[in-house]
Amino acid sequence: MPSWVRLRCGLEPKALAALALVLVLGVGLAVHHFWSGQPEPVRAPELVGEAPPAPEVSRPAPSPGPPPAREPAGRIVVDVSGKVRRPGVLRLPVGSRVADALLAAGGVKAGTDLTGLNRARVLMDGEQVVVGVPQPPGPQGPPGGAAPGAGPLSLNTATVEQLDTLPGVGPVLARHILDYRTEHGGFRSVDELREVTGIGDRRFADLEPLVRP
């Protein structure tokens, strides 16, 4: 230290050195306290979000094979033969009647006798409609009756008069058979006669060999 300082303060050199050391340490502590007191920037913690869902892998749909061959829904197939302009196999909507089949076959030929043909009857799939071809008469009863030699009577084409010739069947029961036929779209088997009002087991046994669907 300068001599004038020592003389002015009246201190010994050792005391002055100790005082200087204390001053230096004080300044150092002050500087350290100043820097440690300043706020330090703190990094925000990273947010851990849910992992994004893995994309779905779409599998190709199996290639469909060719559809099975079948008749379109709502259609029936009937065979129209006899005295019509275009006989053959026809495809008609479900619920079609004999008159619709005759029209689809080009109409009936002129002079054809349609007696005994119920043109209002509802057709069934796989049915045959024969136009203008009389059934051979048997030894008894009218044509188309159930007389021996005439063959079984068709429940789907017979008239009230023809059904009336069957044993045990009168006009009332014949009408019940026609009503059942109209309501259910025809007979698919002879066994359905059991469901007609007025036909019991005994009468069915008598009629079974004489009729067909």
Side-chain angles (χ1 to χ4, degrees):
M1 295 182 64
S3 59
W4 62 271
V5 173
R6 295 195 304 268
L7 293 175
R8 189 175 181 85
C9 295
L11 299 174
E12 292 295 331
K14 292 182 178 180
L16 290 175
L19 180 61
L21 180 60
V22 170
L23 291 175
V24 171
L25 292 174
V27 172
L29 291 173
V31 171
H32 176 72
H33 179 72
F34 173 78
W35 284 108
S36 63
Q38 289 185 346
E40 294 183 0
V42 179
R43 293 183 59 186
E46 296 182 1
L47 297 177
V48 180
E50 296 182 357
E56 296 182 359
V57 179
S58 59
R59 298 180 179 179
S63 177
R70 63 176 62 182
E71 283 300 315
R75 309 284 290 183
I76 59 173
V77 179
V78 296
D79 180 14
V80 182
S81 60
K83 297 182 179 181
V84 291
R85 299 185 186 278
R86 294 192 301 270
V89 177
L90 305 176
R91 287 166 174 79
L92 302 172
V94 171
S96 297
R97 301 179 183 271
V98 173
D100 300 322
L102 299 181
L103 184 62
V108 180
K109 294 181 179 180
T112 301
D113 183 12
L114 298 180
T115 302
L117 181 63
N118 183 6
R119 285 168 285 180
R121 180 173 57 81
V122 178
L123 294 168
M124 294 190 307
D125 184 53
E127 183 178 342
Q128 182 183 32
V129 179
V130 181
V131 182
V133 179
Q135 298 183 7
Q140 299 176 0
L153 178 65
S154 173
L155 296 172
N156 288 320
T157 60
T159 63
V160 172
E161 292 76 12
Q162 292 171 338
L163 292 171
D164 192 13
T165 64
L166 294 171
V169 178
V172 176
L173 185 55
R175 176 53 58 185
H176 287 170
I177 295 175
L178 261 62
D179 292 342
Y180 180 91
R181 184 174 72 189
T182 302
E183 181 180 354
H184 295 82
F187 288 87
R188 291 167 177 78
S189 68
V190 176
D191 288 340
E192 291 186 18
L193 269 180
R194 298 177 182 270
E195 303 177 16
V196 177
T197 303
I199 296 181
D201 292 339
R202 183 173 180 178
R203 183 164 296 174
F204 175 77
D206 294 337
L207 295 176
E208 184 178 13
L210 303 176
V211 295
R212 61 181 176 83

